[in-house]
Amino acid sequence: MTSVDGDFFGPLGYSGWFPWTALGLLVLVAAWYAFVFLSTRRRPAAQDAARPVPFAAPDLDRLRRDYLQRIDAVDREAAAGTRTSRSSHQELSLLIRSFVRDASGVDATRMTLAELRAEGPPAGNQPTRGLPAAADAIAAMYPAEFAALPAPGVPDAARTAREVVRSWN
């Protein structure tokens, strides 16, 4: 580059803060990627299992009343013929499992029968003496829920479900 006089001018210099700004932006981008990576990865199962799940003791009388009404409704629907025997048994089994979950904090709705029988009381909670009775009642309903043959009567299953709910302590 030459001037009008014929003198040569070198390239223009740049400020010293440009490289520091570029380096700062690179550090910010790297920090952002690190934050996103670390905050979205799954925790190891051991950490999740070690974290206690808070469980507030329910109003057991109200809970019993609600579930007894639901059991009575299933029994009435089966007697009226608006619900099949199989679906009645499945609903009664689900009601028992849901009652166990709501009364004790043990998520019985997602457990196999073997897991339900092996389950003890949750850490820091009162003993769940009703768990074995609930597991037995659910086991008694399995043939009616899953067998290819017509299921036995619903009134006996409803009576068993009521007994589980009433005797829970």
Side-chain angles (χ1 to χ4, degrees), residues 41-125:
R41 67 185 192 145
R42 291 189 52 95
R43 291 186 187 98
Q47 282 181 343
D48 287 341
R51 184 172 297 138
V53 176
F55 173 73
D59 177 5
L60 203 52
D61 290 332
R62 182 188 56 78
L63 196 62
R64 277 190 187 113
R65 211 173 27 253
D66 291 347
Y67 275 92
L68 288 172
Q69 288 174 355
R70 290 177 179 177
I71 292 168
D72 290 343
V74 171
D75 195 16
R76 278 193 308 274
E77 290 171 8
T82 58
R83 181 185 285 270
T84 66
S85 179
R86 181 180 313 278
S87 74
S88 298
H89 282 87
Q90 290 169 343
E91 183 67 20
L92 289 170
S93 176
L94 180 61
L95 285 172
I96 292 172
R97 289 171 179 272
S98 298
F99 177 78
V100 169
R101 179 199 58 215
D102 294 346
S104 70
V106 174
D107 193 4
T109 59
R110 299 177 180 260
M111 299 170 76
T112 65
L113 184 58
E115 290 170 335
L116 188 57
R117 286 190 171 169
E119 181 66 36
N125 290 331

Side-chain angles (χ1 to χ4, degrees), residues 6-7 22 24 28 32-33 45 49 54 57-58 67 69 80 114 128 141-142 145:
D7 295 329
L28 283 174
W32 174 253
Y33 277 110
Y67 275 92
Q69 288 174 355
T128 54
M141 291 181 198
Y142 266 25
E145 288 183 75

